Coordinates of all heavy atoms in Angstrom, one line a residue:
M1 N 91.5 96.9 94.8 CA 92.2 97.1 93.5 C 92.2 98.5 93.1 O 91.2 99.2 93.3 CB 91.4 96.2 92.5 CG 92.1 96.1 91.2 SD 91.7 97.4 90.0 CE 90.2 96.8 89.3
F2 N 93.3 99.0 92.6 CA 93.4 100.4 92.1 C 94.2 100.4 90.8 O 94.9 99.5 90.5 CB 94.0 101.3 93.2 CG 95.4 101.0 93.6 CD1 96.5 101.7 92.9 CD2 95.7 100.1 94.6 CE1 97.8 101.4 93.2 CE2 97.0 99.9 94.9 CZ 98.0 100.5 94.3
V3 N 93.9 101.5 90.1 CA 94.5 101.7 88.8 C 95.8 102.5 89.0 O 95.8 103.5 89.6 CB 93.6 102.4 87.8 CG1 94.3 102.6 86.4 CG2 92.3 101.6 87.5
L4 N 96.9 102.0 88.4 CA 98.2 102.7 88.5 C 98.3 103.7 87.4 O 98.3 103.4 86.2 CB 99.3 101.6 88.3 CG 100.7 102.0 88.8 CD1 100.7 102.3 90.3 CD2 101.6 100.9 88.4
K5 N 98.3 105.0 87.9 CA 98.3 106.1 86.9 C 99.6 106.8 86.9 O 100.1 107.1 85.8 CB 97.1 107.1 87.2 CG 95.8 106.5 87.0 CD 94.7 107.5 87.5 CE 93.3 106.8 87.6 NZ 92.5 107.4 88.6
N6 N 100.1 107.2 88.0 CA 101.3 107.9 88.1 C 102.1 107.6 89.4 O 101.5 106.9 90.3 CB 101.1 109.4 87.9 CG 100.1 109.9 88.9 OD1 100.3 109.7 90.2 ND2 99.1 110.6 88.5
K7 N 103.3 108.1 89.5 CA 104.1 107.8 90.7 C 103.6 108.6 91.9 O 103.7 108.1 93.0 CB 105.6 108.2 90.4 CG 106.3 107.1 89.6 CD 107.8 107.5 89.5 CE 108.5 106.5 88.6 NZ 109.8 107.0 88.1
N8 N 103.0 109.8 91.7 CA 102.6 110.6 92.8 C 101.6 109.9 93.7 O 101.6 110.1 94.9 CB 102.0 111.9 92.3 CG 103.1 112.7 91.5 OD1 104.2 112.4 91.6 ND2 102.6 113.7 90.8
Q9 N 100.7 109.1 93.1 CA 99.7 108.5 93.9 C 100.3 107.5 94.9 O 99.6 107.1 95.8 CB 98.6 107.8 93.0 CG 99.1 106.5 92.4 CD 98.1 105.9 91.4 OE1 98.5 105.4 90.4 NE2 96.8 105.9 91.8
M10 N 101.5 107.1 94.6 CA 102.1 106.1 95.4 C 103.1 106.7 96.5 O 103.6 106.0 97.3 CB 103.0 105.1 94.6 CG 102.3 104.3 93.5 SD 100.9 103.3 94.2 CE 101.9 102.1 95.2
D11 N 103.2 108.0 96.5 CA 104.1 108.7 97.4 C 104.0 108.3 98.8 O 105.0 107.9 99.5 CB 104.0 110.2 97.3 CG 104.8 110.8 96.1 OD1 105.5 110.0 95.5 OD2 104.8 112.0 95.9
K12 N 102.8 108.4 99.4 CA 102.6 108.0 100.8 C 102.9 106.6 101.0 O 103.5 106.3 102.1 CB 101.1 108.3 101.1 CG 100.9 109.7 101.6 CD 99.5 109.8 102.1 CE 99.0 111.3 102.2 NZ 97.6 111.4 102.4
A13 N 102.4 105.7 100.1 CA 102.7 104.3 100.3 C 104.2 104.0 100.2 O 104.6 103.1 101.0 CB 101.9 103.5 99.2
I14 N 104.9 104.7 99.4 CA 106.4 104.5 99.3 C 107.0 104.9 100.6 O 107.9 104.2 101.1 CB 106.9 105.2 98.0 CG1 106.5 104.4 96.8 CG2 108.5 105.2 98.1 CD1 106.7 105.2 95.5
T15 N 106.6 106.0 101.1 CA 107.2 106.5 102.4 C 106.9 105.5 103.5 O 107.8 105.1 104.3 CB 106.5 107.8 102.8 OG1 106.7 108.7 101.7 CG2 107.2 108.4 104.0
R16 N 105.7 104.9 103.6 CA 105.4 103.9 104.6 C 106.2 102.7 104.3 O 106.7 102.1 105.3 CB 103.9 103.5 104.4 CG 102.9 104.5 104.9 CD 102.4 104.2 106.3 NE 101.6 102.9 106.4 CZ 101.5 102.2 107.5 NH1 102.0 102.7 108.6 NH2 100.8 101.1 107.6
C17 N 106.4 102.3 103.1 CA 107.2 101.1 102.7 C 108.6 101.3 103.2 O 109.2 100.3 103.7 CB 107.1 100.9 101.2 SG 108.2 99.8 100.6
R18 N 109.2 102.5 103.1 CA 110.6 102.7 103.5 C 110.7 102.6 105.0 O 111.7 102.3 105.6 CB 111.0 104.1 103.0 CG 111.3 104.0 101.5 CD 112.1 105.2 101.0 NE 112.3 105.1 99.6 CZ 112.0 106.1 98.7 NH1 111.7 107.3 99.2 NH2 112.2 105.9 97.4
Q19 N 109.6 103.0 105.7 CA 109.6 103.0 107.2 C 109.5 101.6 107.7 O 110.2 101.1 108.6 CB 108.5 103.8 107.8 CG 108.7 105.3 107.6 CD 107.4 106.1 107.8 OE1 106.3 105.6 107.9 NE2 107.6 107.4 108.0
I20 N 108.6 100.8 107.1 CA 108.3 99.5 107.5 C 109.2 98.4 107.0 O 109.5 97.4 107.7 CB 106.8 99.2 107.2 CG1 105.9 100.1 108.0 CG2 106.4 97.7 107.5 CD1 104.4 100.2 107.5
R21 N 109.7 98.6 105.8 CA 110.6 97.7 105.2 C 110.1 96.2 105.2 O 110.6 95.4 105.9 CB 112.0 97.7 105.8 CG 112.7 99.0 105.7 CD 114.0 99.0 106.4 NE 114.8 100.2 106.0 CZ 115.6 100.2 104.9 NH1 115.7 99.1 104.2 NH2 116.3 101.3 104.7
P22 N 109.0 96.0 104.5 CA 108.4 94.7 104.6 C 109.2 93.7 103.8 O 110.0 94.0 102.9 CB 107.0 94.9 103.9 CG 107.2 96.1 103.0 CD 108.3 96.9 103.7
T23 N 109.0 92.4 104.1 CA 109.6 91.3 103.4 C 108.8 91.0 102.1 O 107.5 90.9 102.3 CB 109.7 90.1 104.2 OG1 110.3 90.4 105.5 CG2 110.4 88.9 103.6
V24 N 109.4 90.9 101.0 CA 108.7 90.6 99.7 C 109.0 89.2 99.3 O 110.2 88.9 99.2 CB 109.0 91.7 98.6 CG1 108.3 91.3 97.3 CG2 108.6 93.1 99.0
K25 N 108.0 88.4 99.0 CA 108.3 87.1 98.5 C 107.7 87.0 97.1 O 106.6 87.5 96.9 CB 107.6 86.0 99.4 CG 108.3 85.9 100.7 CD 107.9 84.8 101.5 CE 108.7 84.7 102.8 NZ 108.2 83.6 103.7
F26 N 108.5 86.4 96.2 CA 108.1 86.3 94.8 C 107.4 84.9 94.6 O 107.9 83.9 94.9 CB 109.4 86.3 94.0 CG 109.2 86.1 92.5 CD1 108.8 87.2 91.7 CD2 109.4 84.9 92.0 CE1 108.7 87.0 90.4 CE2 109.3 84.7 90.6 CZ 108.9 85.7 89.8
D27 N 106.1 85.0 94.2 CA 105.4 83.8 93.9 C 105.6 83.4 92.4 O 106.1 82.3 92.1 CB 103.9 84.0 94.1 CG 103.4 83.6 95.5 OD1 104.3 83.1 96.3 OD2 102.3 83.7 95.8
C28 N 105.2 84.3 91.5 CA 105.4 84.2 90.1 C 105.3 85.6 89.5 O 105.0 86.5 90.3 CB 104.4 83.2 89.5 SG 102.7 83.8 89.6
F29 N 105.6 85.7 88.2 CA 105.5 87.1 87.7 C 104.1 87.7 87.9 O 103.1 87.1 87.5 CB 105.9 87.1 86.2 CG 105.8 88.4 85.5 CD1 106.7 89.4 85.8 CD2 104.7 88.7 84.7 CE1 106.7 90.6 85.3 CE2 104.7 90.0 84.1 CZ 105.6 90.9 84.4
G30 N 104.1 88.9 88.5 CA 102.8 89.5 88.7 C 102.1 89.1 90.0 O 101.0 89.7 90.3
R31 N 102.7 88.2 90.8 CA 102.1 87.8 92.0 C 103.1 87.7 93.1 O 104.1 87.0 93.0 CB 101.4 86.4 91.8 CG 100.6 86.0 93.0 CD 100.1 84.6 92.7 NE 99.5 84.1 93.9 CZ 98.2 84.1 94.1 NH1 97.3 84.6 93.3 NH2 97.7 83.7 95.3
Y32 N 102.9 88.5 94.2 CA 103.9 88.6 95.2 C 103.3 88.5 96.6 O 102.1 88.8 96.7 CB 104.7 89.9 95.1 CG 105.1 90.2 93.7 CD1 104.3 90.9 92.8 CD2 106.3 89.7 93.2 CE1 104.7 91.2 91.5 CE2 106.7 89.9 91.9 CZ 105.9 90.7 91.0 OH 106.2 90.9 89.7
R33 N 104.0 88.2 97.6 CA 103.5 88.2 98.9 C 104.4 89.2 99.8 O 105.6 89.2 99.7 CB 103.5 86.8 99.6 CG 102.2 86.1 99.3 CD 102.3 84.7 99.8 NE 103.3 84.0 99.1 CZ 104.0 83.0 99.7 NH1 103.7 82.6 100.9 NH2 105.0 82.4 99.0
V34 N 103.7 90.0 100.5 CA 104.4 91.1 101.3 C 104.0 91.0 102.8 O 102.8 90.8 103.1 CB 104.0 92.5 100.8 CG1 104.8 93.5 101.5 CG2 104.2 92.6 99.3
S35 N 104.9 91.1 103.7 CA 104.6 91.0 105.1 C 103.9 92.2 105.5 O 104.2 93.3 105.1 CB 105.9 90.8 105.9 OG 106.8 91.9 105.7
G36 N 102.9 92.0 106.4 CA 102.1 93.2 106.9 C 102.8 93.8 108.1 O 103.7 93.2 108.7
S37 N 102.4 95.0 108.5 CA 103.0 95.7 109.6 C 102.7 95.0 110.9 O 103.4 95.2 111.9 CB 102.6 97.2 109.6 OG 101.2 97.2 109.7
K38 N 101.6 94.2 110.9 CA 101.3 93.5 112.2 C 101.4 92.0 112.0 O 100.7 91.3 112.7 CB 99.8 93.9 112.6 CG 99.6 95.3 112.9 CD 98.2 95.6 113.4 CE 98.0 97.1 113.7 NZ 97.6 97.8 112.5
G39 N 102.3 91.6 111.1 CA 102.5 90.2 110.9 C 101.6 89.7 109.8 O 100.7 90.3 109.3
G40 N 101.8 88.4 109.4 CA 101.1 87.8 108.3 C 101.6 88.3 107.0 O 102.5 89.2 106.9
Y41 N 101.0 87.8 105.9 CA 101.4 88.2 104.6 C 100.1 88.5 103.8 O 99.1 88.0 104.0 CB 102.1 87.0 103.9 CG 103.6 87.0 104.2 CD1 104.0 86.3 105.3 CD2 104.5 87.6 103.4 CE1 105.4 86.3 105.6 CE2 105.8 87.6 103.7 CZ 106.3 87.0 104.8 OH 107.6 87.0 105.1
Y42 N 100.3 89.5 102.9 CA 99.3 89.9 102.0 C 99.7 89.6 100.6 O 100.9 89.6 100.3 CB 99.0 91.4 102.1 CG 98.4 91.8 103.4 CD1 99.1 92.4 104.3 CD2 97.1 91.4 103.7 CE1 98.6 92.8 105.6 CE2 96.5 91.8 105.0 CZ 97.3 92.4 105.9 OH 96.8 92.8 107.1
T43 N 98.8 89.2 99.7 CA 99.1 88.9 98.3 C 98.9 90.1 97.5 O 97.8 90.8 97.6 CB 98.3 87.7 97.8 OG1 98.5 86.6 98.6 CG2 98.6 87.4 96.4
V44 N 99.9 90.5 96.7 CA 99.7 91.6 95.7 C 99.8 91.1 94.3 O 100.7 90.3 94.0 CB 100.9 92.7 96.0 CG1 100.7 93.9 95.0 CG2 100.8 93.2 97.4
I45 N 98.8 91.5 93.5 CA 98.8 91.0 92.1 C 98.8 92.2 91.2 O 98.0 93.2 91.3 CB 97.5 90.2 91.8 CG1 97.5 88.9 92.7 CG2 97.3 89.8 90.4 CD1 96.2 88.2 92.8
C46 N 99.8 92.3 90.3 CA 100.0 93.4 89.4 C 99.6 92.8 88.0 O 100.0 91.8 87.6 CB 101.4 93.8 89.3 SG 102.1 94.3 90.9
R47 N 98.7 93.6 87.3 CA 98.2 93.2 86.0 C 98.2 94.3 85.0 O 98.1 95.5 85.4 CB 96.8 92.7 86.1 CG 96.6 91.4 86.7 CD 95.3 90.8 86.2 NE 94.9 89.7 87.0 CZ 94.0 89.7 88.0 NH1 93.4 90.9 88.3 NH2 93.7 88.7 88.7
K48 N 98.3 94.0 83.7 CA 98.1 95.0 82.7 C 97.1 94.4 81.8 O 97.3 93.3 81.3 CB 99.5 95.2 82.0 CG 99.4 96.4 81.0 CD 100.8 96.8 80.7 CE 101.1 96.8 79.3 NZ 102.5 97.2 78.9
D49 N 96.0 95.1 81.5 CA 95.0 94.5 80.7 C 95.2 94.8 79.2 O 96.2 95.5 78.9 CB 93.5 95.0 81.1 CG 93.2 96.4 80.8 OD1 94.0 97.1 80.1 OD2 92.2 96.9 81.2
E50 N 94.4 94.4 78.3 CA 94.6 94.5 76.9 C 94.6 95.9 76.4 O 95.2 96.2 75.3 CB 93.6 93.6 76.1 CG 92.1 93.9 76.3 CD 91.5 93.3 77.6 OE1 92.3 92.6 78.3 OE2 90.4 93.6 77.9
R51 N 94.0 96.8 77.2 CA 94.1 98.3 76.8 C 95.3 98.9 77.4 O 95.5 100.1 77.2 CB 92.8 99.0 77.3 CG 91.6 98.6 76.5 CD 90.4 99.1 77.3 NE 90.2 98.4 78.6 CZ 89.4 98.8 79.5 NH1 88.6 99.8 79.3 NH2 89.3 98.1 80.7
G52 N 96.2 98.2 78.1 CA 97.4 98.7 78.7 C 97.2 99.4 80.0 O 98.1 100.1 80.5
I53 N 96.0 99.2 80.6 CA 95.7 99.8 81.9 C 96.3 98.9 83.0 O 96.1 97.7 83.0 CB 94.2 100.0 82.1 CG1 93.7 101.0 81.1 CG2 93.9 100.4 83.6 CD1 92.2 101.1 81.0
K54 N 97.2 99.5 83.8 CA 97.8 98.7 84.9 C 97.0 98.8 86.2 O 96.7 99.8 86.6 CB 99.2 99.2 85.1 CG 100.1 99.1 84.0 CD 101.4 99.9 84.2 CE 102.2 99.9 82.9 NZ 103.2 101.0 82.9
T55 N 96.7 97.6 86.7 CA 96.0 97.6 88.0 C 96.8 96.8 89.0 O 97.6 95.9 88.7 CB 94.6 96.9 87.8 OG1 94.8 95.6 87.3 CG2 93.7 97.7 86.9
V56 N 96.6 97.2 90.3 CA 97.3 96.5 91.4 C 96.2 96.1 92.4 O 95.4 96.9 92.7 CB 98.4 97.4 92.0 CG1 99.1 96.6 93.1 CG2 99.3 97.9 91.0
E57 N 96.3 94.8 92.8 CA 95.4 94.3 93.8 C 96.2 93.9 95.0 O 97.2 93.3 94.9 CB 94.7 93.0 93.2 CG 93.3 93.1 92.7 CD 92.8 91.9 92.1 OE1 92.6 90.9 92.8 OE2 92.8 91.8 90.9
C58 N 95.6 94.2 96.2 CA 96.2 93.7 97.4 C 95.1 93.2 98.3 O 94.0 93.8 98.3 CB 97.0 94.9 98.1 SG 97.8 94.3 99.6
T59 N 95.4 92.2 99.0 CA 94.4 91.5 99.9 C 94.3 92.2 101.2 O 93.5 91.8 102.0 CB 94.7 90.0 100.1 OG1 96.1 89.9 100.5 CG2 94.6 89.3 98.8
C60 N 95.0 93.3 101.4 CA 94.8 94.0 102.7 C 93.6 94.9 102.6 O 93.0 95.1 101.6 CB 96.1 94.9 103.1 SG 96.2 96.4 102.1
R61 N 93.2 95.6 103.8 CA 92.0 96.4 103.8 C 92.1 97.6 102.9 O 91.1 98.0 102.3 CB 91.8 96.9 105.3 CG 90.9 96.0 106.0 CD 90.3 96.8 107.2 NE 90.2 95.9 108.3 CZ 89.9 96.4 109.5 NH1 89.8 97.6 109.7 NH2 89.8 95.5 110.5
A62 N 93.2 98.3 102.9 CA 93.4 99.4 102.1 C 93.2 99.0 100.6 O 92.5 99.7 99.8 CB 94.7 100.1 102.3
G63 N 93.9 98.0 100.2 CA 93.8 97.5 98.8 C 92.4 97.2 98.4 O 91.9 97.4 97.3
D64 N 91.6 96.6 99.4 CA 90.2 96.3 99.2 C 89.4 97.5 98.8 O 88.5 97.5 98.1 CB 89.7 95.7 100.5 CG 89.2 94.3 100.3 OD1 89.6 93.7 99.3 OD2 88.5 93.8 101.2
R65 N 89.8 98.6 99.4 CA 89.0 99.9 99.2 C 89.6 100.7 98.1 O 89.2 101.8 97.9 CB 89.1 100.7 100.5 CG 88.4 100.1 101.6 CD 88.4 101.1 102.8 NE 88.1 100.4 104.1 CZ 88.6 100.8 105.2 NH1 89.4 101.9 105.3 NH2 88.3 100.2 106.3
G66 N 90.6 100.2 97.4 CA 91.2 100.9 96.3 C 92.2 102.0 96.7 O 92.4 102.9 95.9
I67 N 92.8 101.8 97.9 CA 93.8 102.8 98.3 C 95.2 102.2 98.1 O 95.4 101.0 98.5 CB 93.6 103.1 99.8 CG1 92.2 103.7 100.0 CG2 94.7 104.0 100.3 CD1 91.7 103.6 101.5
P68 N 96.1 102.9 97.5 CA 97.4 102.4 97.3 C 98.1 102.1 98.6 O 98.1 103.0 99.4 CB 98.2 103.5 96.5 CG 97.1 104.3 95.9 CD 95.9 104.2 96.8
C69 N 98.5 100.9 98.9 CA 99.1 100.6 100.2 C 100.6 100.3 100.0 O 101.1 100.2 98.9 CB 98.4 99.3 100.7 SG 98.5 97.9 99.6
F70 N 101.2 100.2 101.2 CA 102.7 100.1 101.1 C 103.1 98.7 100.6 O 104.2 98.5 100.1 CB 103.3 100.4 102.5 CG 103.2 99.3 103.6 CD1 104.1 98.3 103.7 CD2 102.1 99.3 104.4 CE1 104.0 97.3 104.6 CE2 102.0 98.4 105.4 CZ 102.9 97.4 105.5
H71 N 102.2 97.7 100.7 CA 102.5 96.4 100.1 C 102.7 96.5 98.6 O 103.6 96.0 98.1 CB 101.3 95.4 100.4 CG 100.8 95.4 101.8 ND1 99.6 95.9 102.2 CD2 101.5 95.0 103.0 CE1 99.5 95.8 103.5 NE2 100.6 95.3 104.0
A72 N 101.7 97.2 98.0 CA 101.8 97.4 96.6 C 103.1 98.2 96.2 O 103.8 97.9 95.3 CB 100.6 98.2 96.1
A73 N 103.4 99.3 97.0 CA 104.5 100.1 96.8 C 105.8 99.3 96.8 O 106.7 99.5 96.1 CB 104.6 101.2 97.8
S74 N 105.8 98.3 97.7 CA 107.0 97.5 97.9 C 107.3 96.5 96.8 O 108.5 96.1 96.6 CB 107.0 96.8 99.3 OG 106.0 95.9 99.3
V75 N 106.3 96.1 96.1 CA 106.5 95.2 95.0 C 106.7 95.9 93.6 O 107.2 95.3 92.7 CB 105.4 94.1 94.8 CG1 105.3 93.4 96.1 CG2 104.1 94.7 94.4
L76 N 106.2 97.1 93.5 CA 106.2 97.8 92.2 C 107.5 97.9 91.5 O 107.7 97.6 90.3 CB 105.5 99.2 92.3 CG 104.0 99.2 92.1 CD1 103.5 100.6 92.2 CD2 103.6 98.6 90.8
G77 N 108.5 98.3 92.3 CA 109.9 98.4 91.8 C 110.3 97.1 91.1 O 110.8 97.1 90.0
L78 N 110.2 96.0 91.9 CA 110.5 94.7 91.4 C 109.7 94.3 90.2 O 110.2 93.8 89.2 CB 110.3 93.7 92.6 CG 110.4 92.2 92.2 CD1 111.9 91.9 91.9 CD2 109.9 91.3 93.3
H79 N 108.4 94.6 90.3 CA 107.5 94.2 89.2 C 107.9 94.9 87.9 O 107.9 94.3 86.8 CB 106.1 94.4 89.5 CG 105.1 94.0 88.5 ND1 104.8 92.7 88.1 CD2 104.4 94.8 87.6 CE1 104.0 92.7 87.1 NE2 103.7 93.9 86.8
I80 N 108.1 96.2 88.0 CA 108.5 97.0 86.8 C 109.8 96.5 86.2 O 110.0 96.3 85.0 CB 108.5 98.5 87.2 CG1 107.1 99.0 87.4 CG2 109.2 99.3 86.0 CD1 107.0 100.3 88.1
W81 N 110.8 96.2 87.1 CA 112.1 95.7 86.6 C 111.9 94.3 85.9 O 112.4 94.1 84.8 CB 113.0 95.5 87.8 CG 114.4 95.1 87.5 CD1 115.4 95.9 87.0 CD2 114.9 93.8 87.5 NE1 116.5 95.2 86.8 CE2 116.2 93.8 87.0 CE3 114.4 92.5 87.8 CZ2 117.1 92.7 86.9 CZ3 115.2 91.4 87.7 CH2 116.5 91.5 87.3
L82 N 111.1 93.5 86.5 CA 110.8 92.1 85.9 C 110.1 92.3 84.5 O 110.4 91.6 83.6 CB 110.0 91.3 86.8 CG 110.7 90.7 88.0 CD1 109.7 90.1 88.9 CD2 111.7 89.7 87.6
S83 N 109.1 93.2 84.4 CA 108.4 93.5 83.1 C 109.4 93.9 82.1 O 109.3 93.5 80.9 CB 107.4 94.5 83.2 OG 106.8 94.6 84.5
K84 N 110.4 94.7 82.5 CA 111.4 95.2 81.5 C 112.3 94.0 81.0 O 112.6 93.9 79.8 CB 112.2 96.3 82.1 CG 111.4 97.6 82.1 CD 112.3 98.8 82.6 CE 111.4 100.0 82.6 NZ 111.9 101.0 83.6
Q85 N 112.6 93.2 81.9 CA 113.4 92.0 81.6 C 112.7 91.1 80.6 O 113.3 90.6 79.6 CB 113.8 91.2 82.8 CG 114.5 91.9 83.9 CD 115.9 92.4 83.4 OE1 116.7 91.7 82.9 NE2 116.1 93.7 83.5
R86 N 111.4 90.9 80.9 CA 110.6 90.1 80.0 C 110.4 90.7 78.6 O 110.5 90.0 77.6 CB 109.2 89.9 80.6 CG 109.1 88.9 81.7 CD 107.9 89.0 82.5 NE 106.7 88.7 81.8 CZ 106.1 87.5 81.8 NH1 106.5 86.6 82.6 NH2 105.0 87.3 81.1
Q87 N 110.3 92.0 78.6 CA 110.1 92.7 77.3 C 111.4 92.5 76.5 O 111.4 92.4 75.3 CB 109.8 94.2 77.5 CG 108.3 94.4 77.7 CD 108.0 95.7 78.2 OE1 108.8 96.6 78.2 NE2 106.8 95.9 78.7
A88 N 112.5 92.6 77.2 CA 113.8 92.6 76.5 C 114.1 91.2 75.9 O 114.8 91.1 74.9 CB 114.9 92.9 77.5
T89 N 113.5 90.1 76.5 CA 113.8 88.8 76.0 C 112.8 88.4 75.0 O 113.0 87.4 74.2 CB 113.8 87.7 77.2 OG1 112.6 87.9 77.9 CG2 115.0 87.9 78.1
N90 N 111.6 89.1 74.9 CA 110.6 88.7 73.9 C 110.9 89.1 72.5 O 111.5 90.1 72.3 CB 109.2 89.2 74.4 CG 108.6 88.4 75.5 OD1 109.1 87.3 75.7 ND2 107.7 89.0 76.2
Ligands
ZN101 ZN1 98.1 96.1 100.8

């Protein structure tokens, strides 16, 4: 799990994501599954706590150690877009 602070921390992960082009599956809002570079799927969970701190969890090894991974990078665009849609309708 890592805290989402700024876009720069995701730079490397975004580059990897563009190279690998993983498949993203939508489970529900804040919960996605992303294909790994060696097959299989990892679950990515995006959350915002009551203090407004955004955290991203991924079930891969990097995510486990708190390193932003390309799985997280690949769902962030979608997640941010969905959050905006939700805010617009609330
Ligand atoms: Zn990951």
Side-chain angles (χ1 to χ4, degrees):
M1 191 270 276
F2 63 93
V3 177
L4 195 62
K5 290 171 193 154
N6 54 54
K7 279 183 185 166
N8 298 348
Q9 78 183 135
M10 299 301 295
D11 274 357
K12 273 189 195 165
I14 289 166
T15 307
R16 286 261 296 157
C17 168
R18 286 193 183 133
Q19 288 164 348
I20 295 166
R21 296 177 167 275
T23 306
V24 176
K25 291 188 177 177
F26 176 82
D27 267 0
C28 61
F29 179 72
R31 190 185 169 97
Y32 314 90
R33 272 175 298 149
V34 184
S35 61
S37 56
K38 296 185 182 87
Y41 275 85
Y42 295 105
T43 301
V44 180
I45 296 165
C46 305
R47 281 204 197 99
K48 189 160 122 180
D49 73 9
E50 57 283 354
R51 287 167 297 169
I53 295 168
K54 294 169 191 160
T55 59
V56 183
E57 254 176 76
C58 182
T59 52
C60 77
R61 265 200 218 171
D64 243 16
R65 293 184 199 151
I67 301 163
C69 56
F70 76 89
H71 313 111
S74 64
V75 305
L76 272 180
L78 172 67
H79 181 71
I80 289 164
W81 184 82
L82 287 171
S83 326
K84 282 183 184 156
Q85 300 300 306
R86 280 163 67 101
Q87 277 165 13
T89 52
N90 282 341

